[in-house]
Amino acid sequence: VDVRRLAGAGSLTAASTRRLVLVGAGYTGQRVAEGLARAGRAEMLVAALDDDPSKLGQRVGLVTVAGPISALPEIAAAHHPD
């Protein structure tokens, strides 16, 4: 996965930072989270979701898996992603 293509380039500022919820905390989700955690990205993870109960509470980049994908409406209301 080319995280640079997914995340884009740009400096991290409050006005330009996009808040994201990661759906899927498997191998690819982990790689995306790691790429977004690097300094200088214009995106910031605010939560992660995964339907695998064993991933609940596990770290994915700088966030933890907050619940199943079906919890997206509640997570979106709490974290205000873009």
Side-chain angles (χ1 to χ4, degrees):
V1 174
D2 186 353
V3 175
R4 292 171 297 198
R5 282 184 42 217
L6 292 174
S11 62
L12 189 62
T13 66
S16 66
T17 300
R18 292 187 304 182
R19 298 167 55 83
L20 307 176
V21 174
L22 180 67
V23 177
Y27 177 81
T28 301
Q30 290 279 349
R31 301 295 78 77
V32 170
E34 290 169 5
L36 292 173
R38 293 191 183 107
R41 295 290 180 203
E43 289 84 6
M44 176 179 69
L45 285 181
V46 294
L49 302 173
D50 198 288
D51 284 335
D52 182 349
S54 70
K55 290 189 173 78
L56 184 63
Q58 288 187 357
R59 300 286 299 173
V60 180
L62 300 176
V63 298
T64 59
V65 177
I69 296 168
S70 62
L72 181 58
E74 294 84 11
I75 296 300
H79 295 283
H80 310 288
D82 295 315

